[in-house]
């Protein structure tokens, strides 16, 4: 099993050392409304940020906050020199235009890597700030010496926050990449070919054990909450066939938060004109 928890602790230590070197590093999170899951995520990110010495500012707006108010707030955070990273917790309430809000974040402070400028740079093979989940997965592959060059990689899911950036990072790491999604016909035909399989769908055990290639690496991004606890997109039985697999919980989740902190430091370094640390 790939130990995401242990690796996340290692990344947090690296970040803490960089924060100490840089002096003050500031993060601002913005939560609109009171969605319980979002509150849990924001609290987790704050705890982690404070733990590595990042100064974290927790901005909350009511669920009915007008778009102008949010855009004005982002303009202020963009202009605030003490803020290195800005994170708007998604999803936003339905009256807010998510794309417009993301585009209002200064790309240099966009630590979720969702601004078109950052997404475009990744597409062009010149990434700056990349979403934490796929970045964390690349770090896991590197840490466990899993060869990406020439590997057949299959990514299930095509979201802007996981699937698409994941596919681009793997492509940049010289894998041959297939992206599967909700309209893919015969998913198993693709997954059985995968040396590296990344499942980012949000459907409990969509990937059965018999859909996994023997000796492959399986990265389970899915987070499916049931009465029995938190489960992934991949049947845990797949670990019998896979050479490496991430558990849920304790795999991709902790790494995502650690990489968001890493991105905050990357943004802080770039804003100070320093060469960015390796992510
Ligand atoms: P999303 O809903 O935006 O995207 C889901 C994707 O799955 C879509 O692109 C869709 O085409 C694809 N899909 C749906 N049904 C499918 C099917 N039957 N076969 C193949 N593909 C199918 O979700 P997301 O934001 O990318 O997140 C995906 C999952 O990862 C969710 O469970 C989410 O909670 C989890 N997640 C975990 C972390 C983490 O830190 N662990 C971070 C982000 C997302």
């Amino acid at each position: 099993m790939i130990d995401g928890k242990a690796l996340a602790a290692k990344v947090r230590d690296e970040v803490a050392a960089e924060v100490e070197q840089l002096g003050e590093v500031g993060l601002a999170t913005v939560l609109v409304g009171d969605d319980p899951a979002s509150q849990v995520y924001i609290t987790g990110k704050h705890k982690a940020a404070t733990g590595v010495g990042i100064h974290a500012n927790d901005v909350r707006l009511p669920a009915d906050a007008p778009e102008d108010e949010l855009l004005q707030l982002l303009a202020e955070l963009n202009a605030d020199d003490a803020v290195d990273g800005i994170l708007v917790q998604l999803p936003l309430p339905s009256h807010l235009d998510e794309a417009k809000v993301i585009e209002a974040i200064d790309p240099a402070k966009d630590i979720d890597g969702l601004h078109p400028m950052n997404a475009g740079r990744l597409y062009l093979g010149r990434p700056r700030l990349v979403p934490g989940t796929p970045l964390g997965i690349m770090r896991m592959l590197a840490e466990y010496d899993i060869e990406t060059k020439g590997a057949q990689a299959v990514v299930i899911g095509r979201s802007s926050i996981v699937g698409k950036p994941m596919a681009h990072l793997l492509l940049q790491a010289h894998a041959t990449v297939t992206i599967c999604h909700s309209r893919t016909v015969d998913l198993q035909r693709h997954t059985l070919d995968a040396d590296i399989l990344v499942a980012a769908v949000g459907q409990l055990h969509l990937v059965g054990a018999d859909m996994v290639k023997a000796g492959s690496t399986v990265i389970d991004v899915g987070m499916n909450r049931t009465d029995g606890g938190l489960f992934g997109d991949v049947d845990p039985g797949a670990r019998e066939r896979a050479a490496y697999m991430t558990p849920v919980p304790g795999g991709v989740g902790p790494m995502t938060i650690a990489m968001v902190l890493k991105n905050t430091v990357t943004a802080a370094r770039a804003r100070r004109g320093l060469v960015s640390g390796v992510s």
Side-chain angles (χ1 to χ4, degrees):
M1 297 302 273
I2 294 178
D3 190 344
K5 236 171 131 176
L7 183 51
K10 184 175 166 182
V11 172
R12 284 198 303 272
D13 285 347
E14 291 168 12
V15 174
E18 285 194 75
V19 171
E20 207 175 302
Q21 197 185 32
L22 285 166
E24 289 275 288
V25 175
L27 162 71
T29 62
V30 181
L31 174 62
V32 186
D34 43 22
D35 175 64
S38 293
Q39 290 193 22
V40 171
Y41 293 143
I42 285 285
T43 306
K45 284 167 191 166
H46 271 263
K47 231 175 104 186
T50 312
V52 296
I54 292 175
H55 180 78
N57 181 10
D58 186 354
V59 187
R60 307 232 171 172
L61 295 179
D64 60 356
E67 195 166 87
D68 282 354
E69 189 182 333
L70 177 55
L71 296 177
Q72 176 60 33
L73 168 68
L74 291 173
E76 284 164 21
L77 294 174
N78 286 342
D80 185 344
D81 205 39
V83 174
D84 293 295
I86 301 171
L87 191 153
V88 177
Q89 184 65 45
L90 302 176
L92 290 169
S94 56
H95 68 284
L96 299 170
D97 180 344
E98 215 158 87
K100 193 169 168 187
V101 170
I102 289 168
E103 284 182 41
I105 300 170
D106 178 351
K109 298 188 178 188
D110 167 41
I111 52 166
D112 258 346
L114 292 173
H115 189 285
M117 181 75 87
N118 286 316
R121 291 195 67 102
L122 176 60
Y123 168 90
L124 294 172
R126 293 186 281 124
R128 276 208 183 133
L129 292 168
V130 177
T133 302
L135 199 57
I137 292 169
M138 293 309 287
R139 178 68 191 263
M140 290 198 278
L141 297 177
E143 202 77 19
Y144 281 79
D145 283 329
I146 294 160
E147 182 68 271
T148 52
K149 196 161 131 190
Q152 180 69 48
V154 173
V155 178
I156 318 177
R158 55 175 163 182
S159 70
S160 307
I161 186 98
V162 191
K164 279 183 190 147
M166 184 77 255
H168 280 291
L169 287 172
L170 286 164
L171 184 62
Q172 224 184 313
H174 311 296
T176 301
V177 184
T178 301
I179 306 176
C180 297
H181 47 78
S182 53
R183 312 294 160 86
T184 295
V185 176
D186 196 357
L187 186 62
Q188 181 164 6
R189 180 167 72 84
H190 299 283
T191 60
L192 277 176
D193 242 5
D195 302 313
I196 299 171
L197 177 65
V198 181
V201 176
Q203 269 185 43
L204 182 71
H205 301 168
L206 170 78
V207 178
D210 59 348
M211 292 170 71
V212 167
K213 181 177 174 180
S216 65
T217 297
V218 179
I219 308 289
D220 192 350
V221 185
M223 292 204 299
N224 305 293
R225 275 171 220 290
T226 71
D227 291 343
L230 185 67
F231 296 95
D233 288 346
V234 183
D235 184 329
R239 74 180 60 165
E240 305 298 328
R241 290 170 67 118
Y244 294 97
M245 187 161 152
T246 58
V248 178
V252 174
M255 277 304 282
T256 295
I257 297 189
M259 296 318 278
V260 168
L261 303 178
K262 185 108 183 158
N263 274 347
T264 309
V265 166
T266 302
R269 294 180 73 90
R271 292 186 64 242
R272 288 159 181 70
L274 303 166
V275 177
S276 177
V278 177
S279 291

